[in-house]
Amino acid sequence: WTAITYYVADIYVASLDNFKTYTANNEMRYFSSQDILEMDAASGAILAVSGDFYAVQKSGFLMRNSYLYMSDPTYCDICVLYENGVLATYPRNGYDHQEILDQGAVQIWNFGPSLLDENGKAYSSYKVDSHIASDNPRSAIGYYEPGHYCLVVVDGREYDHSVGMGIEALAAIFEQLGCK
């Protein structure tokens, strides 16, 4: 028997003014880190989860709260939240930086891989390194429609509580939840 603990938050926001990204110590610095509870208190968030791995990247395509930090090519997929509430994912090297900015991006996260196809079905396989695909703690966002999102957080590396979750199992959860 292997323990897996995860949490699901079904989120509705009336305005994207209520959907903010806060970074460790409220800065964009290489290898900056901060405890999630400290971040929650500092930002005044109602709900806080850990996010992408911006702090271990020296380049990438990153935007936080409409401020563009970097617009370099990245080795990961990206997830973009637009000002109209649409959430879209793009494979690495499968998007045009300027087009995304021109369409009104407000958040750009580096992540990967995208878990579902355009019909909301989990992919049959994922092109990721085995250490990324294996059981790990996870934070992921799902999308239903503009203003309606889903956050899933998986505890991990705590063998008496939760070992984490692999990419395929995480994808299956988002498919079952009905995300796009």
Side-chain angles (χ1 to χ4, degrees):
W1 180 79
T2 303
I4 299 174
T5 302
Y6 67 94
Y7 307 91
V8 177
D10 191 2
I11 309 292
Y12 289 87
V13 294
S15 166
L16 285 187
D17 292 339
N18 300 315
F19 194 130
K20 299 289 184 187
T21 300
Y22 183 86
T23 58
N25 304 302
N26 201 26
E27 62 186 4
M28 292 292 281
R29 193 180 76 205
Y30 189 59
F31 269 100
S32 182
S33 67
Q34 186 178 17
D35 179 81
I36 189 70
L37 295 176
E38 291 173 9
M39 292 174 76
D40 181 51
S43 67
I46 294 171
L47 173 67
V49 298
S50 58
D52 68 353
F53 44 91
Y54 79 91
V56 296
Q57 296 179 212
K58 291 187 177 182
S59 65
F61 192 24
L62 297 170
M63 177 179 279
R64 300 296 189 263
N65 308 318
S66 299
Y67 183 83
L68 183 63
Y69 284 93
M70 299 179 214
S71 61
D72 304 314
T74 180
Y75 61 89
C76 356
D77 294 354
I78 63 167
C79 182
V80 179
L81 179 62
Y82 291 100
E83 61 192 9
N84 64 1
V86 169
L87 187 72
T89 61
Y90 302 91
R92 69 178 183 184
N93 304 320
Y95 55 87
D96 179 273
H97 288 78
Q98 193 58 52
E99 184 177 313
I100 287 172
L101 296 174
D102 291 345
Q103 291 178 9
V106 294
Q107 308 286 353
I108 302 172
W109 300 287
N110 289 259
F111 81 112
S114 180
L115 300 173
L116 304 177
D117 66 18
E118 60 279 349
N119 298 312
K121 300 297 180 195
Y123 291 111
S124 58
S125 65
Y126 299 90
K127 294 179 183 178
V128 295
D129 295 336
S130 61
H131 69 281
I132 292 175
S134 62
D135 291 345
N136 281 295
R138 307 267 178 204
S139 294
I141 187 168
Y143 173 69
Y144 296 106
E145 61 186 0
H148 188 192
Y149 313 95
C150 176
L151 296 171
V152 174
V153 176
V154 182
D155 285 346
R157 298 188 191 115
E158 301 174 29
Y159 295 97
D160 58 337
H161 171 66
S162 182
V163 296
M165 188 176 287
I167 293 289
E168 291 179 359
L170 185 62
I173 288 173
F174 278 101
E175 182 178 331
Q176 290 168 1
L177 289 169
C179 293
K180 296 179 183 178

